């Protein structure tokens, strides 16, 4: 049996009809052969607080860290709020980066829907956060979309065949990136 690449998808939005969560759902439908994808919702993560951490790591945080550890790569779908990523996504990074971090050296890809620039600024900020965590972020192709009612329905589901094809290409490239990172342990943030 061929080696299966396990991807963990994380949306930076908590909204029920999130366009970014919809983008993750669509990505899961166009995976290359040999790739599996699960998502991890951030709804239950408490706000990071060192006092809470001292009393014992909360169960949702343990679950997040475990899911990251088991994944071969992380796929982030981020909206853009105030030129940056969302607080909920930053909070997830704050919890996951504590102690020996499961983020260290993890291959990652970033995509996003929203903002006037298609999440360009949020993705750049996320790359800085990833650099701090020694993550290996895929550079090309990029997937930055200005929210468009022509591409997604009101529930966030992708309805555009061209976008599905872009996602297919993106996920195939991510598969190659993860495999490349596995074969070159010296490869660093890109």
């Amino acid at each position: 049996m061929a080696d299966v690449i396990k991807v963990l998808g994380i949306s930076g939005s908590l909204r029920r009809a999130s366009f970014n969560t919809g983008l993750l759902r669509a990505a899961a439908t166009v995976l290359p052969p040999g790739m599996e994808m699960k998502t991890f919702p951030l709804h239950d993560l408490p706000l990071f607080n060192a006092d809470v951490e001292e009393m014992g790591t909360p169960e949702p945080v343990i679950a997040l860290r475990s899911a990251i550890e088991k994944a071969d790569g992380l796929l982030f779908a981020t909206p853009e709020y105030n030129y940056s990523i969302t607080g909920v996504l930053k909070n997830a990074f704050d919890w996951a980066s504590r102690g020996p971090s499961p983020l260290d050296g993890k291959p990652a890809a970033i995509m996003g829907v929203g903002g006037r620039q298609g999440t360009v600024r949020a993705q750049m900020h996320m790359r800085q956060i990833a650099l701090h965590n020694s993550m290996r972020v895929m550079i090309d192709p990029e997937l930055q979309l200005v929210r468009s009612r022509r591409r997604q329905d009101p529930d966030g589901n992708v309805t555009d065949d061209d976008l599905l094809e872009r996602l297919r290409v993106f996920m195939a490239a991510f598969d190659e990136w993860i495999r490349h990172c596995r074969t070159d342990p010296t490869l660093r943030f890109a």
Side-chain angles (χ1 to χ4, degrees), residues 125-188:
H125 189 199
M126 197 160 172
R127 287 177 187 278
Q128 289 177 319
I129 295 167
L131 176 61
H132 170 75
N133 287 285
S134 301
M135 297 171 71
R136 301 169 182 186
V137 180
M138 180 175 77
I139 299 172
D140 187 46
E142 293 181 338
L143 190 55
Q144 301 149 337
L145 304 162
V146 174
R147 189 177 80 188
S148 170
R149 306 250 186 256
R150 294 173 294 150
R151 289 192 208 111
Q152 291 176 278
D153 69 19
D155 292 322
N157 299 307
V158 172
T159 57
D160 181 69
D161 290 337
D162 290 337
L163 177 51
L164 286 172
E165 183 55 31
R166 286 180 66 190
L167 277 168
R168 186 181 329 279
V169 169
F170 187 85
M171 294 309 293
F174 190 36
D175 181 75
E176 289 179 27
W177 178 247
I178 293 168
R179 292 178 192 279
H180 180 70
C181 289
R182 280 181 166 179
T183 60
D184 186 354
T186 64
L187 185 66
R188 281 311 201 211

Short mmCIF file of all heavy atoms in Angstrom, two decimals, residues 125-188:
data_model
loop_
_atom_site.label_atom_id
_atom_site.label_comp_id
_atom_site.label_asym_id
_atom_site.label_seq_id
_atom_site.Cartn_x
_atom_site.Cartn_y
_atom_site.Cartn_z
N HIS A 125 1.07 37.65 7.51
CA HIS A 125 1.22 37.62 8.96
C HIS A 125 1.32 36.17 9.44
O HIS A 125 2.13 35.85 10.33
CB HIS A 125 0.06 38.34 9.62
CG HIS A 125 0.24 38.53 11.09
ND1 HIS A 125 -0.79 38.79 11.95
CD2 HIS A 125 1.35 38.48 11.88
CE1 HIS A 125 -0.34 38.88 13.18
NE2 HIS A 125 0.96 38.69 13.16
N MET A 126 0.54 35.31 8.86
CA MET A 126 0.58 33.90 9.25
C MET A 126 1.94 33.28 8.94
O MET A 126 2.43 32.43 9.69
CB MET A 126 -0.53 33.15 8.55
CG MET A 126 -0.81 31.84 9.19
SD MET A 126 -2.43 31.30 8.71
CE MET A 126 -2.35 29.70 9.41
N ARG A 127 2.55 33.70 7.85
CA ARG A 127 3.89 33.20 7.53
C ARG A 127 4.90 33.61 8.60
O ARG A 127 5.81 32.86 8.93
CB ARG A 127 4.34 33.69 6.16
CG ARG A 127 3.63 33.00 5.02
CD ARG A 127 4.04 33.57 3.67
NE ARG A 127 3.24 33.00 2.62
CZ ARG A 127 3.46 31.84 2.04
NH1 ARG A 127 4.48 31.09 2.42
NH2 ARG A 127 2.67 31.40 1.08
N GLN A 128 4.74 34.81 9.16
CA GLN A 128 5.63 35.25 10.24
C GLN A 128 5.43 34.36 11.47
O GLN A 128 6.40 33.98 12.12
CB GLN A 128 5.34 36.70 10.61
CG GLN A 128 5.77 37.69 9.57
CD GLN A 128 5.38 39.10 9.96
OE1 GLN A 128 4.29 39.35 10.48
NE2 GLN A 128 6.28 40.04 9.71
N ILE A 129 4.19 34.06 11.80
CA ILE A 129 3.91 33.19 12.94
C ILE A 129 4.48 31.80 12.68
O ILE A 129 5.09 31.19 13.57
CB ILE A 129 2.39 33.13 13.20
CG1 ILE A 129 1.88 34.50 13.63
CG2 ILE A 129 2.06 32.07 14.25
CD1 ILE A 129 0.37 34.64 13.61
N ALA A 130 4.32 31.31 11.46
CA ALA A 130 4.85 30.00 11.11
C ALA A 130 6.38 29.97 11.20
O ALA A 130 6.97 28.99 11.65
CB ALA A 130 4.40 29.61 9.70
N LEU A 131 7.03 31.06 10.80
CA LEU A 131 8.49 31.15 10.89
C LEU A 131 8.93 31.01 12.34
O LEU A 131 9.87 30.28 12.65
CB LEU A 131 8.96 32.49 10.32
CG LEU A 131 10.45 32.78 10.42
CD1 LEU A 131 11.27 31.75 9.67
CD2 LEU A 131 10.75 34.18 9.89
N HIS A 132 8.24 31.69 13.24
CA HIS A 132 8.58 31.58 14.66
C HIS A 132 8.47 30.13 15.13
O HIS A 132 9.24 29.69 15.99
CB HIS A 132 7.65 32.46 15.50
CG HIS A 132 7.78 32.21 16.96
ND1 HIS A 132 8.85 32.67 17.70
CD2 HIS A 132 7.01 31.50 17.81
CE1 HIS A 132 8.72 32.25 18.95
NE2 HIS A 132 7.61 31.55 19.04
N ASN A 133 7.53 29.38 14.56
CA ASN A 133 7.30 27.99 14.96
C ASN A 133 8.06 26.99 14.09
O ASN A 133 7.76 25.80 14.14
CB ASN A 133 5.80 27.69 14.94
CG ASN A 133 5.10 28.37 16.10
OD1 ASN A 133 5.19 27.94 17.23
ND2 ASN A 133 4.42 29.47 15.81
N SER A 134 9.01 27.45 13.29
CA SER A 134 9.84 26.60 12.44
C SER A 134 9.02 25.72 11.49
O SER A 134 9.45 24.64 11.10
CB SER A 134 10.76 25.70 13.28
OG SER A 134 11.60 26.47 14.08
N MET A 135 7.85 26.21 11.11
CA MET A 135 7.03 25.47 10.15
C MET A 135 7.57 25.68 8.75
O MET A 135 8.24 26.66 8.47
CB MET A 135 5.57 25.92 10.26
CG MET A 135 4.97 25.61 11.62
SD MET A 135 3.36 26.36 11.85
CE MET A 135 2.40 25.37 10.75
N ARG A 136 7.28 24.75 7.87
CA ARG A 136 7.75 24.79 6.49
C ARG A 136 6.56 25.12 5.59
O ARG A 136 5.80 24.23 5.20
CB ARG A 136 8.36 23.46 6.12
CG ARG A 136 9.52 23.08 7.02
CD ARG A 136 9.93 21.67 6.81
NE ARG A 136 11.01 21.31 7.71
CZ ARG A 136 11.64 20.16 7.64
NH1 ARG A 136 11.30 19.26 6.76
NH2 ARG A 136 12.61 19.91 8.48
N VAL A 137 6.41 26.38 5.25
CA VAL A 137 5.23 26.84 4.52
C VAL A 137 5.46 26.79 3.01
O VAL A 137 6.44 27.32 2.51
CB VAL A 137 4.83 28.26 4.94
CG1 VAL A 137 3.60 28.73 4.18
CG2 VAL A 137 4.56 28.32 6.44
N MET A 138 4.52 26.16 2.31
CA MET A 138 4.56 26.09 0.85
C MET A 138 4.42 27.50 0.28
O MET A 138 3.54 28.26 0.69
CB MET A 138 3.42 25.19 0.35
CG MET A 138 3.37 25.04 -1.15
SD MET A 138 2.09 23.85 -1.69
CE MET A 138 0.60 24.84 -1.50
N ILE A 139 5.27 27.84 -0.68
CA ILE A 139 5.25 29.17 -1.27
C ILE A 139 4.31 29.25 -2.47
O ILE A 139 3.57 30.21 -2.64
CB ILE A 139 6.66 29.57 -1.75
CG1 ILE A 139 7.63 29.59 -0.59
CG2 ILE A 139 6.64 30.91 -2.45
CD1 ILE A 139 9.06 29.79 -1.01
N ASP A 140 4.34 28.24 -3.32
CA ASP A 140 3.66 28.29 -4.60
C ASP A 140 2.97 26.97 -4.87
O ASP A 140 3.59 25.92 -4.63
CB ASP A 140 4.70 28.60 -5.68
CG ASP A 140 4.10 28.86 -7.03
OD1 ASP A 140 3.12 29.62 -7.11
OD2 ASP A 140 4.60 28.29 -8.02
N PRO A 141 1.74 26.97 -5.30
CA PRO A 141 0.92 28.10 -5.69
C PRO A 141 0.28 28.77 -4.48
O PRO A 141 0.20 28.18 -3.41
CB PRO A 141 -0.16 27.48 -6.58
CG PRO A 141 -0.31 26.09 -6.06
CD PRO A 141 1.06 25.69 -5.58
N GLU A 142 -0.16 30.00 -4.68
CA GLU A 142 -0.89 30.72 -3.64
C GLU A 142 -2.38 30.61 -3.94
O GLU A 142 -2.78 30.44 -5.09
CB GLU A 142 -0.48 32.19 -3.64
CG GLU A 142 0.95 32.40 -3.22
CD GLU A 142 1.34 33.87 -3.19
OE1 GLU A 142 0.67 34.69 -3.87
OE2 GLU A 142 2.29 34.20 -2.48
N LEU A 143 -3.18 30.72 -2.91
CA LEU A 143 -4.63 30.71 -3.09
C LEU A 143 -5.22 31.79 -2.18
O LEU A 143 -5.35 31.60 -0.97
CB LEU A 143 -5.22 29.34 -2.76
CG LEU A 143 -6.67 29.12 -3.13
CD1 LEU A 143 -6.92 29.41 -4.61
CD2 LEU A 143 -7.08 27.69 -2.83
N GLN A 144 -5.47 32.95 -2.78
CA GLN A 144 -6.00 34.11 -2.07
C GLN A 144 -7.20 34.61 -2.84
O GLN A 144 -7.07 34.99 -4.01
CB GLN A 144 -4.93 35.20 -1.99
CG GLN A 144 -3.69 34.72 -1.30
CD GLN A 144 -2.43 35.40 -1.81
OE1 GLN A 144 -2.40 35.90 -2.92
NE2 GLN A 144 -1.39 35.37 -1.01
N LEU A 145 -8.36 34.59 -2.21
CA LEU A 145 -9.59 34.92 -2.90
C LEU A 145 -10.34 36.05 -2.21
O LEU A 145 -10.57 36.00 -1.01
CB LEU A 145 -10.51 33.70 -2.94
CG LEU A 145 -9.91 32.43 -3.55
CD1 LEU A 145 -10.70 31.22 -3.14
CD2 LEU A 145 -9.84 32.56 -5.05
N VAL A 146 -10.72 37.05 -2.98
CA VAL A 146 -11.65 38.05 -2.49
C VAL A 146 -12.99 37.35 -2.44
O VAL A 146 -13.35 36.61 -3.36
CB VAL A 146 -11.70 39.28 -3.42
CG1 VAL A 146 -12.77 40.25 -2.97
CG2 VAL A 146 -10.33 39.94 -3.49
N ARG A 147 -13.74 37.52 -1.36
CA ARG A 147 -15.02 36.82 -1.24
C ARG A 147 -15.90 37.13 -2.44
O ARG A 147 -16.08 38.28 -2.82
CB ARG A 147 -15.72 37.23 0.04
CG ARG A 147 -16.94 36.37 0.31
CD ARG A 147 -17.57 36.72 1.59
NE ARG A 147 -18.39 37.91 1.38
CZ ARG A 147 -18.96 38.58 2.34
NH1 ARG A 147 -18.81 38.22 3.58
NH2 ARG A 147 -19.69 39.63 2.07
N SER A 148 -16.42 36.10 -3.03
CA SER A 148 -17.26 36.28 -4.21
C SER A 148 -18.48 35.38 -4.11
O SER A 148 -18.36 34.18 -3.93
CB SER A 148 -16.47 35.93 -5.47
OG SER A 148 -17.33 35.87 -6.58
N ARG A 149 -19.61 35.96 -4.24
CA ARG A 149 -20.86 35.20 -4.21
C ARG A 149 -20.99 34.32 -5.46
O ARG A 149 -21.83 33.44 -5.51
CB ARG A 149 -22.05 36.14 -4.10
CG ARG A 149 -21.92 37.09 -2.93
CD ARG A 149 -22.91 36.78 -1.85
NE ARG A 149 -22.88 37.77 -0.79
CZ ARG A 149 -22.31 37.56 0.39
NH1 ARG A 149 -21.73 36.45 0.65
NH2 ARG A 149 -22.33 38.50 1.31
N ARG A 150 -20.13 34.57 -6.45
CA ARG A 150 -20.17 33.74 -7.66
C ARG A 150 -19.43 32.43 -7.48
O ARG A 150 -19.61 31.51 -8.26
CB ARG A 150 -19.56 34.50 -8.84
CG ARG A 150 -20.40 35.72 -9.25
CD ARG A 150 -19.68 36.53 -10.30
NE ARG A 150 -18.49 37.09 -9.66
CZ ARG A 150 -17.34 37.36 -10.27
NH1 ARG A 150 -17.22 37.14 -11.55
NH2 ARG A 150 -16.33 37.87 -9.61
N ARG A 151 -18.58 32.34 -6.47
CA ARG A 151 -17.77 31.13 -6.25
C ARG A 151 -18.31 30.23 -5.15
O ARG A 151 -18.01 29.06 -5.11
CB ARG A 151 -16.34 31.53 -5.88
CG ARG A 151 -15.57 32.11 -7.01
CD ARG A 151 -14.10 32.20 -6.61
NE ARG A 151 -13.49 33.28 -7.32
CZ ARG A 151 -13.06 34.40 -6.78
NH1 ARG A 151 -13.13 34.59 -5.49
NH2 ARG A 151 -12.52 35.33 -7.51
N GLN A 152 -19.03 30.81 -4.19
CA GLN A 152 -19.52 30.07 -3.04
C GLN A 152 -20.95 30.47 -2.75
O GLN A 152 -21.32 31.64 -2.92
CB GLN A 152 -18.64 30.34 -1.82
CG GLN A 152 -17.24 29.74 -1.95
CD GLN A 152 -16.35 30.09 -0.78
OE1 GLN A 152 -15.78 31.17 -0.76
NE2 GLN A 152 -16.22 29.19 0.18
N ASP A 153 -21.74 29.49 -2.29
CA ASP A 153 -23.12 29.80 -1.94
C ASP A 153 -23.18 30.42 -0.54
O ASP A 153 -22.15 30.54 0.12
CB ASP A 153 -24.00 28.55 -2.08
CG ASP A 153 -23.72 27.47 -1.05
OD1 ASP A 153 -23.10 27.76 0.01
OD2 ASP A 153 -24.11 26.32 -1.30
N PRO A 154 -24.35 30.85 -0.07
CA PRO A 154 -24.43 31.51 1.24
C PRO A 154 -23.97 30.64 2.42
O PRO A 154 -23.65 31.17 3.49
CB PRO A 154 -25.93 31.86 1.37
CG PRO A 154 -26.40 31.97 -0.04
CD PRO A 154 -25.62 30.94 -0.81
N ASP A 155 -23.92 29.33 2.24
CA ASP A 155 -23.43 28.44 3.30
C ASP A 155 -21.93 28.20 3.22
O ASP A 155 -21.38 27.42 3.99
CB ASP A 155 -24.17 27.09 3.25
CG ASP A 155 -25.63 27.24 3.63
OD1 ASP A 155 -25.92 28.04 4.54
OD2 ASP A 155 -26.47 26.56 3.00
N GLY A 156 -21.26 28.85 2.26
CA GLY A 156 -19.81 28.71 2.13
C GLY A 156 -19.37 27.60 1.21
O GLY A 156 -18.17 27.41 0.99
N ASN A 157 -20.31 26.85 0.64
CA ASN A 157 -19.94 25.74 -0.25
C ASN A 157 -19.44 26.27 -1.59
O ASN A 157 -20.05 27.17 -2.17
CB ASN A 157 -21.15 24.84 -0.48
CG ASN A 157 -21.64 24.24 0.82
OD1 ASN A 157 -20.88 23.65 1.56
ND2 ASN A 157 -22.92 24.41 1.10
N VAL A 158 -18.35 25.71 -2.07
CA VAL A 158 -17.79 26.12 -3.35
C VAL A 158 -18.69 25.63 -4.47
O VAL A 158 -19.03 24.45 -4.53
CB VAL A 158 -16.35 25.59 -3.52
CG1 VAL A 158 -15.83 25.86 -4.93
CG2 VAL A 158 -15.43 26.23 -2.48
N THR A 159 -19.06 26.54 -5.35
CA THR A 159 -19.96 26.22 -6.48
C THR A 159 -19.29 26.47 -7.82
O THR A 159 -19.92 26.25 -8.86
CB THR A 159 -21.23 27.08 -6.39
OG1 THR A 159 -20.85 28.47 -6.37
CG2 THR A 159 -22.03 26.76 -5.12
N ASP A 160 -18.05 26.90 -7.83
CA ASP A 160 -17.36 27.31 -9.05
C ASP A 160 -16.36 26.25 -9.50
O ASP A 160 -15.45 25.90 -8.74
CB ASP A 160 -16.66 28.65 -8.79
CG ASP A 160 -15.92 29.16 -10.00
OD1 ASP A 160 -16.60 29.56 -10.97
OD2 ASP A 160 -14.68 29.14 -9.98
N ASP A 161 -16.51 25.74 -10.71
CA ASP A 161 -15.63 24.70 -11.22
C ASP A 161 -14.18 25.18 -11.37
O ASP A 161 -13.25 24.40 -11.14
CB ASP A 161 -16.14 24.17 -12.56
CG ASP A 161 -17.41 23.35 -12.42
OD1 ASP A 161 -17.66 22.82 -11.31
OD2 ASP A 161 -18.16 23.24 -13.41
N ASP A 162 -13.99 26.44 -11.75
CA ASP A 162 -12.63 26.97 -11.87
C ASP A 162 -11.93 27.00 -10.51
O ASP A 162 -10.74 26.67 -10.41
CB ASP A 162 -12.63 28.37 -12.49
CG ASP A 162 -13.01 28.36 -13.95
OD1 ASP A 162 -12.86 27.31 -14.61
OD2 ASP A 162 -13.48 29.41 -14.44
N LEU A 163 -12.66 27.36 -9.46
CA LEU A 163 -12.07 27.36 -8.12
C LEU A 163 -11.76 25.93 -7.68
O LEU A 163 -10.72 25.68 -7.08
CB LEU A 163 -13.00 28.04 -7.12
CG LEU A 163 -12.53 28.05 -5.67
CD1 LEU A 163 -11.11 28.57 -5.50
CD2 LEU A 163 -13.51 28.85 -4.80
N LEU A 164 -12.64 24.99 -7.98
CA LEU A 164 -12.36 23.59 -7.64
C LEU A 164 -11.08 23.11 -8.34
O LEU A 164 -10.28 22.39 -7.75
CB LEU A 164 -13.54 22.70 -8.01
CG LEU A 164 -14.74 22.80 -7.08
CD1 LEU A 164 -15.92 22.01 -7.65
CD2 LEU A 164 -14.40 22.30 -5.68
N GLU A 165 -10.88 23.53 -9.57
CA GLU A 165 -9.66 23.15 -10.28
C GLU A 165 -8.43 23.80 -9.65
O GLU A 165 -7.38 23.16 -9.50
CB GLU A 165 -9.75 23.52 -11.76
CG GLU A 165 -8.55 23.09 -12.59
CD GLU A 165 -8.22 21.61 -12.49
OE1 GLU A 165 -9.12 20.76 -12.30
OE2 GLU A 165 -7.01 21.26 -12.60
N ARG A 166 -8.54 25.06 -9.26
CA ARG A 166 -7.43 25.72 -8.56
C ARG A 166 -7.11 25.00 -7.26
O ARG A 166 -5.95 24.82 -6.90
CB ARG A 166 -7.76 27.19 -8.27
CG ARG A 166 -7.70 28.07 -9.50
CD ARG A 166 -8.04 29.50 -9.18
NE ARG A 166 -7.05 30.12 -8.31
CZ ARG A 166 -7.20 31.30 -7.72
NH1 ARG A 166 -8.31 32.00 -7.91
NH2 ARG A 166 -6.26 31.79 -6.94
N LEU A 167 -8.15 24.58 -6.55
CA LEU A 167 -7.95 23.81 -5.31
C LEU A 167 -7.28 22.47 -5.60
O LEU A 167 -6.41 22.03 -4.84
CB LEU A 167 -9.29 23.57 -4.61
CG LEU A 167 -9.79 24.69 -3.71
CD1 LEU A 167 -11.24 24.44 -3.31
CD2 LEU A 167 -8.92 24.84 -2.48
N ARG A 168 -7.67 21.82 -6.67
CA ARG A 168 -7.06 20.54 -7.05
C ARG A 168 -5.55 20.71 -7.28
O ARG A 168 -4.73 19.94 -6.78
CB ARG A 168 -7.74 19.98 -8.30
CG ARG A 168 -7.29 18.59 -8.71
CD ARG A 168 -7.98 18.06 -9.97
NE ARG A 168 -9.33 18.52 -10.21
CZ ARG A 168 -10.44 18.02 -9.65
NH1 ARG A 168 -10.34 17.04 -8.78
NH2 ARG A 168 -11.62 18.50 -9.95
N VAL A 169 -5.19 21.75 -8.01
CA VAL A 169 -3.77 22.05 -8.28
C VAL A 169 -3.05 22.38 -6.97
O VAL A 169 -1.93 21.92 -6.72
CB VAL A 169 -3.65 23.20 -9.31
CG1 VAL A 169 -2.23 23.71 -9.41
CG2 VAL A 169 -4.17 22.75 -10.67
N PHE A 170 -3.69 23.18 -6.12
CA PHE A 170 -3.12 23.58 -4.84
C PHE A 170 -2.85 22.35 -3.97
O PHE A 170 -1.78 22.21 -3.38
CB PHE A 170 -4.10 24.55 -4.14
CG PHE A 170 -3.58 25.18 -2.89
CD1 PHE A 170 -2.80 26.33 -2.94
CD2 PHE A 170 -3.88 24.64 -1.65
CE1 PHE A 170 -2.34 26.94 -1.77
CE2 PHE A 170 -3.42 25.24 -0.48
CZ PHE A 170 -2.65 26.38 -0.54
N MET A 171 -3.82 21.46 -3.88
CA MET A 171 -3.67 20.27 -3.03
C MET A 171 -2.63 19.31 -3.60
O MET A 171 -1.90 18.66 -2.84
CB MET A 171 -5.01 19.59 -2.81
CG MET A 171 -6.02 20.42 -2.01
SD MET A 171 -5.37 21.09 -0.44
CE MET A 171 -5.14 19.58 0.50
N ALA A 172 -2.54 19.19 -4.90
CA ALA A 172 -1.50 18.35 -5.51
C ALA A 172 -0.12 18.92 -5.19
O ALA A 172 0.82 18.17 -4.87
CB ALA A 172 -1.72 18.25 -7.02
N ALA A 173 0.01 20.24 -5.26
CA ALA A 173 1.29 20.87 -4.92
C ALA A 173 1.61 20.68 -3.45
O ALA A 173 2.77 20.46 -3.08
CB ALA A 173 1.24 22.37 -5.27
N PHE A 174 0.60 20.75 -2.58
CA PHE A 174 0.81 20.55 -1.15
C PHE A 174 1.26 19.12 -0.88
O PHE A 174 2.16 18.89 -0.06
CB PHE A 174 -0.45 20.90 -0.36
CG PHE A 174 -0.25 20.95 1.13
CD1 PHE A 174 0.94 21.42 1.70
CD2 PHE A 174 -1.26 20.56 1.97
CE1 PHE A 174 1.11 21.47 3.08
CE2 PHE A 174 -1.10 20.62 3.36
CZ PHE A 174 0.09 21.06 3.90
N ASP A 175 0.69 18.17 -1.57
CA ASP A 175 1.11 16.77 -1.45
C ASP A 175 2.61 16.64 -1.80
O ASP A 175 3.38 16.03 -1.05
CB ASP A 175 0.28 15.89 -2.39
CG ASP A 175 0.65 14.43 -2.30
OD1 ASP A 175 0.28 13.77 -1.30
OD2 ASP A 175 1.31 13.94 -3.24
N GLU A 176 3.01 17.25 -2.90
CA GLU A 176 4.43 17.23 -3.30
C GLU A 176 5.30 17.93 -2.25
O GLU A 176 6.40 17.47 -1.95
CB GLU A 176 4.61 17.91 -4.65
CG GLU A 176 4.07 17.13 -5.81
CD GLU A 176 4.25 17.87 -7.12
OE1 GLU A 176 5.19 18.69 -7.24
OE2 GLU A 176 3.43 17.63 -8.04
N TRP A 177 4.81 19.05 -1.71
CA TRP A 177 5.57 19.81 -0.71
C TRP A 177 5.81 18.96 0.54
O TRP A 177 6.93 18.91 1.06
CB TRP A 177 4.84 21.09 -0.38
CG TRP A 177 5.50 21.94 0.67
CD1 TRP A 177 5.04 22.21 1.91
CD2 TRP A 177 6.76 22.61 0.57
NE1 TRP A 177 5.93 23.02 2.60
CE2 TRP A 177 6.99 23.28 1.78
CE3 TRP A 177 7.71 22.72 -0.46
CZ2 TRP A 177 8.13 24.03 2.02
CZ3 TRP A 177 8.85 23.49 -0.21
CH2 TRP A 177 9.04 24.13 1.01
N ILE A 178 4.77 18.31 1.03
CA ILE A 178 4.91 17.48 2.22
C ILE A 178 5.92 16.36 1.97
O ILE A 178 6.79 16.10 2.80
CB ILE A 178 3.54 16.89 2.65
CG1 ILE A 178 2.62 18.01 3.13
CG2 ILE A 178 3.72 15.83 3.74
CD1 ILE A 178 1.16 17.58 3.31
N ARG A 179 5.81 15.71 0.83
CA ARG A 179 6.74 14.61 0.50
C ARG A 179 8.17 15.14 0.37
O ARG A 179 9.12 14.49 0.81
CB ARG A 179 6.29 13.89 -0.77
CG ARG A 179 4.98 13.12 -0.55
CD ARG A 179 4.48 12.44 -1.83
NE ARG A 179 3.12 11.97 -1.65
CZ ARG A 179 2.77 10.84 -1.04
NH1 ARG A 179 3.71 10.06 -0.53
NH2 ARG A 179 1.51 10.49 -0.93
N HIS A 180 8.33 16.34 -0.20
CA HIS A 180 9.66 16.94 -0.32
C HIS A 180 10.23 17.25 1.07
O HIS A 180 11.42 17.00 1.33
CB HIS A 180 9.58 18.21 -1.17
CG HIS A 180 10.89 18.90 -1.34
ND1 HIS A 180 11.91 18.38 -2.10
CD2 HIS A 180 11.35 20.06 -0.82
CE1 HIS A 180 12.96 19.20 -2.05
NE2 HIS A 180 12.65 20.23 -1.28
N CYS A 181 9.40 17.79 1.94
CA CYS A 181 9.86 18.10 3.30
C CYS A 181 10.29 16.84 4.04
O CYS A 181 11.24 16.88 4.83
CB CYS A 181 8.76 18.81 4.09
SG CYS A 181 8.45 20.51 3.55
N ARG A 182 9.63 15.74 3.77
CA ARG A 182 10.00 14.47 4.41
C ARG A 182 11.38 14.00 3.96
O ARG A 182 12.12 13.43 4.74
CB ARG A 182 9.00 13.37 4.03
CG ARG A 182 7.73 13.39 4.80
CD ARG A 182 6.88 12.25 4.32
NE ARG A 182 5.78 11.98 5.20
CZ ARG A 182 4.89 11.04 4.98
NH1 ARG A 182 4.99 10.27 3.91
NH2 ARG A 182 3.91 10.85 5.83
N THR A 183 11.71 14.24 2.70
CA THR A 183 12.98 13.73 2.15
C THR A 183 14.15 14.68 2.42
O THR A 183 15.29 14.28 2.27
CB THR A 183 12.88 13.47 0.63
OG1 THR A 183 12.56 14.70 -0.04
CG2 THR A 183 11.83 12.43 0.33
N ASP A 184 13.85 15.92 2.78
CA ASP A 184 14.92 16.89 3.04
C ASP A 184 14.74 17.50 4.43
O ASP A 184 14.11 18.54 4.58
CB ASP A 184 14.92 17.99 1.98
CG ASP A 184 16.09 18.95 2.13
OD1 ASP A 184 16.85 18.83 3.14
OD2 ASP A 184 16.27 19.82 1.26
N PRO A 185 15.27 16.83 5.47
CA PRO A 185 15.06 17.33 6.83
C PRO A 185 15.74 18.66 7.12
O PRO A 185 15.44 19.30 8.13
CB PRO A 185 15.64 16.21 7.70
CG PRO A 185 16.57 15.46 6.83
CD PRO A 185 16.06 15.62 5.42
N THR A 186 16.63 19.12 6.25
CA THR A 186 17.29 20.41 6.46
C THR A 186 16.48 21.57 5.90
O THR A 186 16.79 22.72 6.17
CB THR A 186 18.69 20.42 5.81
OG1 THR A 186 18.56 20.29 4.39
CG2 THR A 186 19.55 19.30 6.38
N LEU A 187 15.45 21.25 5.12
CA LEU A 187 14.63 22.28 4.51
C LEU A 187 13.96 23.11 5.59
O LEU A 187 13.37 22.59 6.51
CB LEU A 187 13.57 21.65 3.60
CG LEU A 187 12.71 22.59 2.80
CD1 LEU A 187 13.55 23.34 1.78
CD2 LEU A 187 11.61 21.82 2.09
N ARG A 188 14.04 24.40 5.45
CA ARG A 188 13.44 25.29 6.44
C ARG A 188 12.35 26.12 5.80
O ARG A 188 12.07 26.02 4.62
CB ARG A 188 14.52 26.22 7.06
CG ARG A 188 15.32 25.50 8.13
CD ARG A 188 14.37 24.86 8.99
NE ARG A 188 14.70 24.47 10.32
CZ ARG A 188 14.12 23.41 10.86
NH1 ARG A 188 13.32 22.66 10.18
NH2 ARG A 188 14.36 23.11 12.10
#
